[in-house]
Amino acid sequence: MATDQRAKADTLSLRQRLLSSSCRLFFPEDPVKIVRGQGQYLYDEQGGEYIDCINNVAHVGHCHPLVVQAAHEQNQVLNTNSRYLHDNIVDYAQRLSETLPEKLCVFYFLNSGSEANDLALRLARQYTGHQDVVVLDHAYHGHLSSLIDISPYKFRYLDGQKEWIHVAPLPDTYRGPYREDHPNPAVAYANEVKRVVSNAQEKGRKIAAFFMESLPSVGGQIIPPAGYFSQVAEHIHRAGGVFVADEIQVGFGRVGKHFWAFQLQGEDFVPDIVTMGKSIGNGHPIACVATTQAVSRAFEATGVEYFNTFGGSPVSCAVGLAVLDVLEKEQLQAHATCVGSFLMELLRQQKAKHPIIGDVRGVGLFIGVDLVQDEATRMPATQEADYVVTRLKENYILLSADGPGRNILKFKPPMCFSLDNAQLVVTKLDAILTDMEEKVRSCETLRLQPCSVKHLPGEWALPLVLKRPRDGFLPSTAIILSKMNLLKHSCSNSSFSQVTFFKIEKLLLPWVLSTHPHQKVSKTWPVLVG
């Protein structure tokens, strides 16, 4: 490691020159240069300490000393491939088997979650003799070509949906077709899978597998209704396929109540294949596939060896064992329940206070805050979410937004995230949302006359008045236009009566015309009439 750190601007310049722009940074307008991590904290080159609410990879905490020590000690002795006998790989497989249902008793070790899901796809196809895969809308299962094909989150922006892929609705009870007021959303969403399977079979297609993240993450921190998995598995098995539970984002005690997220669906449900990655190695590249004897034997029957150069190496397995040790010794699964419940309660209090928060959902330390433009329509508040994430970063809190509308604030911090961290993060979030609301209310008496308020501080350079008949004035959209710090608020209720814009030379009118072509706009003074 270099003793002298180069300047942040130089690092950014080198990155822009040497790395593809498709390898994106968090906060691209003002990226953070991270030089150190410890526990739930990351540190920049100037010593600034950030609370990490993003990183579910550093599962037991950044640079946990026991994990680092395990890797170092094994590296000093031996690191080679798994074609030689070694205790670490069998010890690790044994420890993992103790956390899983008895049926899942055969293990393959790999380097990444993408490799794990790719192997799961091969196992499913070999076992069933079928080709097709059912996935959920907005799903993401990895970056290999085989997995882009089964990830609507990616393929919709690339080559599109292949004929052997069949997409079922996400079991989202907040904004999906079957919501919280439905008498049995689990059955309703499972019947959608049944319908998708039937449509495929009518075309002569045969189902090899149903792939699902046990808790969809990029889909918006979704908590599937209880009973959904067993119902879906019944339809998939009847079609001759297998159920693959992708635990890469949410396994290893993150949900608190259970070690594996699929166990939230009840003791009677057991997937045919489970894939693991990310948190399994606390940042070290390890992954695993667990499956049944029947699936494994079908794969073995080909006579083709499965070999992974680095998968299951002595060092990787030493790291994996250390992660399991830390989870147990520090009781991090119970900790996730305690801190997660506390954080959920604090966020629910914010929901009662701020109408922009449409939903708070989660379990353990896997939580989503759904920001909406309107409580009735549940229109995603995409720009607001981006704005909130940026403001939190300025307050030394790292959080991300995701979901189909990129409006879900995602909490998936290291498992050592504390009660004090939760309190601080929510306090900062409350201040940011309150500030957004107060900036708009400051102009609530203004109607059609030009605003007399001078420049507001920071990014609030351009106020825009909006009328919300029921409860006054509320910001719903925060779009920061480049370096001009021009902030737009749009009405969070579609029945707004009028909005007054403030003229800034020749910029505003063209902007209004381009962004609201369906509205009538005064050519002498930019007034948008609802």
Side-chain angles (χ1 to χ4, degrees):
M1 185 174 67
T3 55
D4 296 326
Q5 295 283 346
R6 61 170 53 89
K8 174 180 170 179
D10 294 340
T11 302
L12 178 60
S13 178
L14 279 170
R15 180 178 175 119
Q16 290 170 338
R17 178 163 64 86
L18 297 171
L19 275 65
S20 168
S21 62
S22 63
C23 301
R24 297 177 183 173
L25 288 162
F26 282 129
F27 317 108
E29 295 298 323
D30 183 25
V32 182
K33 182 175 181 178
I34 297 299
V35 299
R36 186 168 69 88
Q38 190 67 48
Q40 64 270 47
Y41 301 103
L42 291 171
Y43 299 87
D44 65 22
E45 80 284 5
Q46 296 180 335
E49 180 182 83
Y50 295 80
I51 299 176
D52 184 2
C53 298
I54 295 175
N55 208 321
N56 58 340
V57 177
H59 191 57
V60 298
H62 293 280
C63 303
H64 194 288
L66 293 183
V67 178
V68 172
Q69 180 183 1
H72 176 62
E73 289 180 354
Q74 183 58 54
N75 250 323
Q76 289 181 309
V77 178
L78 174 70
N79 196 26
T80 187
N81 66 64
S82 60
R83 281 193 171 116
Y84 300 99
L85 283 174
H86 197 277
D87 286 340
N88 284 7
I89 192 169
V90 293
D91 288 344
Y92 190 38
Q94 178 65 34
R95 287 283 297 277
L96 285 175
S97 71
E98 293 168 0
T99 71
L100 288 160
E102 185 177 355
K103 174 183 171 183
L104 298 166
C105 58
V106 182
F107 297 86
Y108 300 82
F109 292 103
L110 315 92
N111 306 296
S112 71
S114 289
E115 284 191 359
N117 279 334
D118 179 73
L119 177 58
L121 181 59
R122 290 178 60 192
L123 290 169
R125 285 173 167 168
Q126 183 61 38
Y127 175 68
T128 64
H130 300 166
Q131 176 77 7
D132 291 26
V133 177
V134 178
V135 295
L136 297 178
D137 205 2
H138 311 297
Y140 174 64
H141 294 289
H143 63 81
L144 300 180
S145 295
S146 61
L147 305 177
I148 295 295
D149 286 344
I150 67 170
S151 299
Y153 177 76
K154 292 290 186 181
F155 72 58
R156 295 197 191 284
Y157 302 98
L158 296 169
D159 296 332
Q161 184 174 337
K162 301 286 175 41
E163 63 177 0
W164 52 272
I165 293 297
H166 312 282
V167 180
L170 194 66
D172 180 354
T173 57
Y174 180 67
R175 61 175 70 255
Y178 310 109
R179 299 187 175 185
E180 65 274 9
D181 56 351
H182 192 280
N184 198 336
V187 171
Y189 278 113
N191 283 339
E192 289 294 321
V193 175
K194 180 182 180 181
R195 177 185 59 79
V196 168
V197 169
S198 296
N199 289 343
Q201 290 175 325
E202 288 173 3
K203 298 174 184 176
R205 312 299 305 188
K206 295 182 178 180
I207 304 301
F210 173 79
F211 270 73
M212 179 175 178
E213 291 179 275
S214 297
L215 298 176
S217 180
V218 298
Q221 304 292 89
I222 303 302
I223 311 299
Y228 173 73
F229 281 27
S230 58
Q231 292 280 331
V232 168
E234 184 178 330
H235 301 316
I236 295 298
H237 289 156
R238 190 179 297 123
V242 297
F243 192 113
V244 180
D246 180 340
E247 290 274 337
I248 292 164
Q249 294 262 18
V250 294
F252 292 87
R254 176 161 295 277
V255 300
K257 297 178 182 178
H258 301 281
F259 199 81
W260 304 105
F262 72 78
Q263 293 171 323
L264 292 167
Q265 292 283 317
E267 294 182 1
D268 294 337
F269 172 74
V270 179
D272 302 291
I273 302 173
V274 173
T275 59
M276 313 166 202
K278 294 189 186 298
S279 55
I280 187 173
N282 208 57
H284 185 88
I286 318 176
C288 180
V289 175
T291 190
T292 65
Q293 286 282 1
V295 171
S296 179
R297 285 172 182 157
F299 194 64
E300 294 160 5
T302 65
V304 177
E305 176 191 21
Y306 179 78
F307 173 67
N308 189 303
T309 303
F310 302 108
S313 73
V315 170
S316 291
C317 291
V319 168
L321 285 164
V323 171
L324 294 179
D325 287 342
V326 173
L327 285 168
E328 183 177 325
K329 290 176 181 177
E330 298 184 7
Q331 300 182 327
L332 291 179
Q333 186 177 329
H335 181 79
T337 296
C338 174
V339 177
S341 297
F342 179 67
L343 178 56
M344 286 278 288
E345 178 56 33
L346 293 178
L347 290 168
R348 287 187 180 117
Q349 292 173 12
Q350 295 303 305
K351 179 180 181 296
K353 181 177 180 180
H354 302 288
I356 193 173
I357 299 179
D359 190 37
V360 175
R361 52 184 176 264
V363 58
L365 285 174
F366 179 86
I367 296 171
V369 178
D370 197 317
L371 301 187
V372 297
Q373 293 188 34
D374 179 78
E375 295 170 84
T377 66
R378 303 182 180 182
M379 180 71 70
T382 304
Q383 288 80 19
E384 293 88 336
D386 182 65
Y387 174 74
V388 168
V389 166
T390 300
R391 285 289 303 275
L392 284 169
K393 190 261 287 186
E394 294 168 0
N395 284 272
Y396 294 91
I397 295 166
L398 302 179
L399 192 68
S400 63
D402 217 328
R406 303 201 68 81
N407 64 305
I408 314 298
L409 304 181
K410 296 175 62 173
F411 290 85
K412 47 186 182 67
M415 295 276 279
C416 48
F417 186 81
S418 70
L419 294 170
D420 287 344
N421 295 148
Q423 183 70 67
L424 177 60
V425 169
V426 175
T427 297
K428 296 293 186 181
L429 176 63
D430 179 29
I432 291 166
L433 295 179
T434 299
D435 187 54
M436 289 172 64
E437 294 164 359
E438 289 177 350
K439 290 291 194 308
V440 173
R441 290 194 184 100
S442 68
C443 289
E444 68 176 340
T445 59
L446 303 169
R447 300 293 292 247
L448 292 175
Q449 69 272 24
C451 182
S452 60
V453 178
K454 296 182 179 180
H455 285 299
L456 294 169
E459 63 280 358
W460 297 81
L462 180 70
L464 183 150
V465 179
L466 53 90
K467 173 68 176 176
R468 182 173 177 174
R470 289 180 297 173
D471 53 358
F473 298 83
L474 181 71
S476 72
T477 305
I479 302 176
I480 300 177
L481 299 180
S482 187
K483 297 180 181 179
M484 297 192 63
N485 289 330
L486 178 65
L487 180 68
K488 182 193 82 170
H489 294 294
S490 67
C491 186
S492 63
N493 186 300
S494 59
S495 61
F496 64 88
S497 62
Q498 58 195 12
V499 182
T500 304
F501 291 87
F502 305 100
K503 191 173 183 181
I504 298 182
E505 298 178 349
K506 297 180 180 179
L507 170 68
L508 188 58
L509 184 55
W511 175 65
V512 174
L513 290 171
S514 65
T515 56
H516 296 79
H518 59 289
Q519 298 285 1
K520 297 178 181 179
V521 182
S522 167
K523 294 182 179 179
T524 57
W525 183 257
V527 176
L528 190 133
V529 181

